[in-house]
Amino acid sequence: MKTINNFIKIIIFLVVLNGGILLITYVLTPKIPSFYWEKHYDAVFFGTSQSYCSFDPLIFDEYDLKTYNRGRQQQTMNYTYYYIKDALDVCDIDVVVLEVFGMFYEEDDTGFISEGVRDSSLNDMRMSETKIEAIRECVPEEMQISYFFPLDKYHFRWEELDYASWNGFYNSALKPYYEEADRGYKRWTESEVCVDDYWSIAFSEIRRDVYAGNIKYLDKIYELCQKKGAKLILVKAPLPCYDRVIEETNTVSDWAEEHDIELINYMRLQDVLELNFYTDSLDGGTHLNESGAGKVSKHLAAYLKENYLICDGAFGTYYAEKYNTKELPEIANLSAPERVREIHEEYVSAGAKLIRTNTFAAHPDLLNCGQGLLAENVKSACRLAKEAADGKAYVAGDIG
């Protein structure tokens, strides 16, 4: 009996111990951003600090474009690939906008080994197979455990920890890197005069080699977007703009041309943007401040709106969530047409320029109906989509 009691005590102790460890790990795990709350975005921005200083989602709101900025400081292309993969796993994204400054890091740059870069890239990525793959691929093996269990980062040096240690951890891991309302954009109003004459060299046609590892991940991003049906657009922010960046941008531009991908080079559009280097530069020619980002964002938003069909989102997923049902949405084409029309109208109101008929699962076996009833269902779906579009959007047939 005594042996049994001791055994029970040991079990209870282990349960409490493991529960405590899991609770502390949960508390120390950075909270994921609101990016994951949405199922569809018209465009999402990726890249280095050049991304989060250049593209302001609030400006894109004015053009009825739902966007989010997932740029991170000094983010090298390996992390950027996994950021895009993670985003496409969880969201329906029409346009992936990649600011290309991350292509210019060399193999020995600190971005590939910096703890700060690792933290800013991995801390607010949701735990998933993609994050696990990113940790195994990008983090030195001896440090990987810390990104699964943050407590491990400190358990060897408890006696050394002080207020500065906690404050550093809070700022690097727990404190949001940006204001949530800005959706990933870093809003800086300060300005520092940029005195260099960038315009005179922006049109150089000289090429400079780009690190092959970056090209490898750019290829992977291209293939991923092709597979997921997302449009990939490359952008070079107007700053920084000096010899090496210009020459390597030209090399990336050659890659883009070979793959039929558009690269918008804002270093060559400074006059179109009406950039003022006395007021639009945050730090003397390295990043844009709020004023400069506003000009880039307005130009890019108008360009996306005019040149790319922004599609609706996943109809079936939204239908199930909106009406709390597991039935096929195609059934509603005849049984509840007002529901189908309402969802189409919501997408059009949100700025979709192309909506798809609610016919993805329109098949006799799935709907348990004959050909005659199936034809009525499809006709109703087409009519509802056309009525909702009302000349404001194109309508395409959706075939599963």
Side-chain angles (χ1 to χ4, degrees):
M1 187 66 180
K2 185 176 181 181
T3 302
I4 294 176
N5 287 337
N6 289 336
F7 179 75
I8 293 174
K9 289 178 181 178
I10 292 172
I11 294 298
I12 293 174
F13 171 77
L14 291 175
V15 169
V16 172
L17 177 63
N18 287 322
I21 292 173
L22 290 174
L23 178 62
I24 294 173
T25 298
Y26 172 78
V27 171
L28 294 180
T29 299
K31 303 301 179 284
I32 62 174
S34 62
F35 169 77
Y36 293 104
W37 302 351
E38 300 292 337
K39 296 298 183 183
H40 171 259
Y41 288 98
D42 296 316
V44 179
F45 312 105
F46 298 92
T48 66
S49 56
Q50 298 304 323
S51 176
Y52 69 58
C53 286
S54 300
F55 311 122
D56 181 357
L58 293 182
I59 298 295
F60 288 83
D61 288 347
E62 298 173 10
Y63 293 79
D64 295 320
L65 296 174
K66 183 191 291 186
T67 63
Y68 206 101
N69 199 317
R70 293 291 277 160
R72 287 295 179 271
Q73 65 169 359
Q74 291 183 285
Q75 190 174 81
T76 48
M77 290 297 293
N78 51 349
Y79 289 108
T80 300
Y81 165 72
Y82 288 108
Y83 247 54
I84 295 175
K85 188 174 188 296
D86 173 66
L88 290 173
D89 283 344
V90 75
C91 300
D92 179 18
I93 301 173
D94 293 331
V95 182
V96 168
V97 179
L98 173 59
E99 205 290 327
V100 298
F101 190 81
M103 289 293 296
F104 311 145
Y105 292 125
E106 299 292 345
E107 184 177 10
D108 57 352
D109 274 323
T110 57
F112 285 101
I113 58 174
S114 165
E115 181 178 5
V117 172
R118 287 197 300 270
D119 286 351
S120 69
S121 293
L122 294 172
N123 278 344
D124 71 352
M125 185 187 294
R126 69 192 179 106
M127 185 54 69
S128 63
E129 290 183 11
T130 296
K131 180 169 183 174
I132 293 171
E133 185 182 346
I135 292 171
R136 289 175 174 169
E137 176 72 20
C138 304
V139 179
E141 186 174 356
E142 67 274 12
M143 299 179 181
Q144 291 178 6
I145 189 67
S146 299
Y147 291 90
F148 294 110
F149 301 100
L151 187 63
D152 179 77
K153 231 176 196 182
Y154 300 95
H155 83 282
F156 283 119
R157 55 187 188 92
W158 288 115
E159 294 182 358
E160 304 171 18
L161 297 183
D162 53 17
Y163 175 77
S165 301
W166 161 251
N167 195 48
F169 175 75
Y170 173 76
N171 286 313
S172 68
L174 299 184
K175 183 180 179 181
Y177 194 61
Y178 50 82
E179 295 297 326
E180 193 64 68
D182 287 326
R183 283 167 279 165
Y185 169 68
K186 291 284 282 183
R187 191 174 304 282
W188 276 299
T189 57
E190 302 92 335
S191 63
E192 182 180 333
V193 175
C194 174
V195 297
D196 294 326
D197 180 16
Y198 293 137
W199 183 253
S200 63
I201 60 173
F203 291 87
S204 168
E205 291 297 335
I206 298 174
R207 268 69 176 159
R208 187 182 299 210
D209 288 341
V210 172
Y211 169 47
N214 293 334
I215 295 292
K216 180 187 79 171
Y217 278 103
L218 185 57
D219 286 337
K220 288 167 70 76
I221 290 170
Y222 169 76
E223 293 166 2
L224 179 64
C225 289
Q226 292 281 100
K227 179 182 178 181
K228 294 287 189 176
K231 183 70 177 180
L232 175 63
I233 297 177
L234 306 183
V235 174
K236 173 60 189 75
L239 298 175
C241 179
Y242 50 85
D243 291 351
R244 176 187 164 191
V245 171
I246 292 168
E247 293 164 11
E248 293 189 341
T249 298
N250 290 339
T251 300
V252 175
S253 181
D254 291 340
W255 179 96
E257 186 174 349
E258 291 173 6
H259 292 78
D260 196 26
I261 296 295
E262 185 161 17
L263 189 154
I264 304 174
N265 185 353
Y266 280 116
M267 293 187 296
R268 297 183 175 183
L269 295 176
Q270 296 171 21
D271 59 336
V272 175
L273 297 174
E274 297 184 351
L275 279 181
N276 183 328
F277 290 108
Y278 287 90
T279 59
D280 295 337
S281 171
L282 169 68
D283 43 12
T286 303
H287 299 88
L288 296 173
N289 60 14
E290 183 179 23
S291 173
K295 295 176 180 180
V296 171
S297 296
K298 287 179 180 178
H299 183 276
L300 183 57
Y303 186 83
L304 291 177
K305 196 78 170 177
E306 182 177 350
N307 291 277
Y308 293 93
L309 283 175
I310 306 299
C311 299
D312 57 1
F315 193 101
T317 302
Y318 185 40
Y319 180 87
E321 292 178 352
K322 184 177 178 67
Y323 298 113
N324 191 27
T325 179
K326 294 182 179 180
E327 74 172 11
L328 291 174
E330 289 77 9
I331 294 174
N333 289 330
L334 295 176
S335 65
E338 68 283 354
R339 289 185 170 187
V340 177
R341 185 187 296 107
E342 183 178 4
I343 290 179
H344 285 318
E345 288 174 346
E346 287 183 22
Y347 278 123
V348 173
S349 297
K353 294 303 181 184
L354 175 70
I355 61 174
R356 293 161 287 193
T357 57
N358 179 33
T359 53
F360 183 81
H363 189 279
D365 293 342
L366 295 175
L367 299 182
N368 193 26
C369 67
Q371 291 294 337
L373 189 58
L374 178 65
E376 289 183 34
N377 188 295
V378 173
K379 287 179 181 178
S380 177
C382 294
R383 175 178 55 81
L384 293 168
K386 288 180 180 179
E387 289 173 357
D390 193 27
K392 301 173 185 176
Y394 293 99
V395 175
D398 196 5
I399 302 175

